[in-house]
């Protein structure tokens, strides 16, 4: 897995998604993000790492584009990328995609589980999920 950071954009799959989105008109970006999220959420067999990486990045873009969001976009790798404000149903789809990425038959979850940063990666995804659902504290936070 080509990964240089545990954030949602620090990997090859996310970089590919950001490149693809940056090359298309703004008005087509939500549709492309919906496609990535739908593909991951609908996978009933083994979810490969690149699809998982793209789903996490797509979910982060949805979280950042929501009105009033405190979730940061990706200023380092795609500083000029804009995404229109998504409808609520797209945030729900993003949550389903994240749940699929975290499922036992997900290569990305397996790879992070085998790494030293696995618990921190899980915490990042919990914060992302909380942002998408509107929870003020993700499960397990005691701060």
């Amino acid at each position: 897995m080509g990964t240089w950071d545990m954030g949602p954009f620090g990997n090859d799959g996310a970089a590919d998604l950001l490149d693809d989105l940056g090359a298309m008109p703004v008005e087509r970006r939500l549709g492309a993000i919906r496609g990535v999220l739908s593909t991951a959420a609908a996978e009933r067999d083994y979810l490969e790492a690149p699809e998982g990486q793209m789903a996490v990045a797509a979910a982060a873009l949805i979280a950042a584009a929501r009105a009033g969001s405190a979730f940061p976009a990706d200023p380092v790798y795609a500083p000029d990328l804009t995404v229109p404000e998504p409808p609520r149903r797209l945030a729900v789809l993003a949550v389903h995609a994240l749940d699929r990425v975290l499922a036992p038959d997900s290569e990305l979850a397996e790879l992070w589980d085998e790494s030293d940063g696995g618990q921190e990666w899980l915490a990042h995804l919990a914060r992302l999920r909380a942002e998408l659902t509107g929870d003020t504290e993700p499960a397990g936070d005691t701060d």
Side-chain angles (χ1 to χ4, degrees), residues 90-141:
L90 210 47
V92 171
L93 179 59
V95 169
H96 290 303
L98 287 177
D99 289 346
R100 183 61 188 87
V101 167
L102 291 168
D105 54 349
S106 165
E107 183 180 25
L108 189 58
E110 288 175 5
L111 291 169
W112 277 108
D113 186 50
E114 296 168 359
S115 78
D116 291 339
Q119 291 302 310
E120 191 174 349
W121 179 76
L122 289 172
H124 279 284
L125 264 59
R127 285 190 294 276
L128 174 55
R129 193 177 191 287
E131 177 70 29
L132 289 163
T133 61
D135 291 342
T136 56
E137 288 187 28
D141 267 8

Side-chain angles (χ1 to χ4, degrees), residues 27-117:
E27 61 273 7
R28 291 189 47 223
R29 292 178 183 166
L30 282 180
I33 291 169
R34 181 182 299 107
V36 167
L37 294 170
S38 295
T39 297
E43 180 59 60
R44 297 294 169 238
D45 293 320
Y46 192 72
L47 181 66
E48 300 289 337
E51 287 77 15
Q53 291 172 333
M54 288 190 290
V56 170
L61 289 171
I62 292 301
R66 294 180 66 205
S69 174
F71 200 84
D74 187 32
V76 175
Y77 305 112
D80 299 324
L81 183 72
T82 58
V83 175
E85 185 174 340
R88 174 77 185 125
R89 68 182 179 277
L90 210 47
V92 171
L93 179 59
V95 169
H96 290 303
L98 287 177
D99 289 346
R100 183 61 188 87
V101 167
L102 291 168
D105 54 349
S106 165
E107 183 180 25
L108 189 58
E110 288 175 5
L111 291 169
W112 277 108
D113 186 50
E114 296 168 359
S115 78
D116 291 339

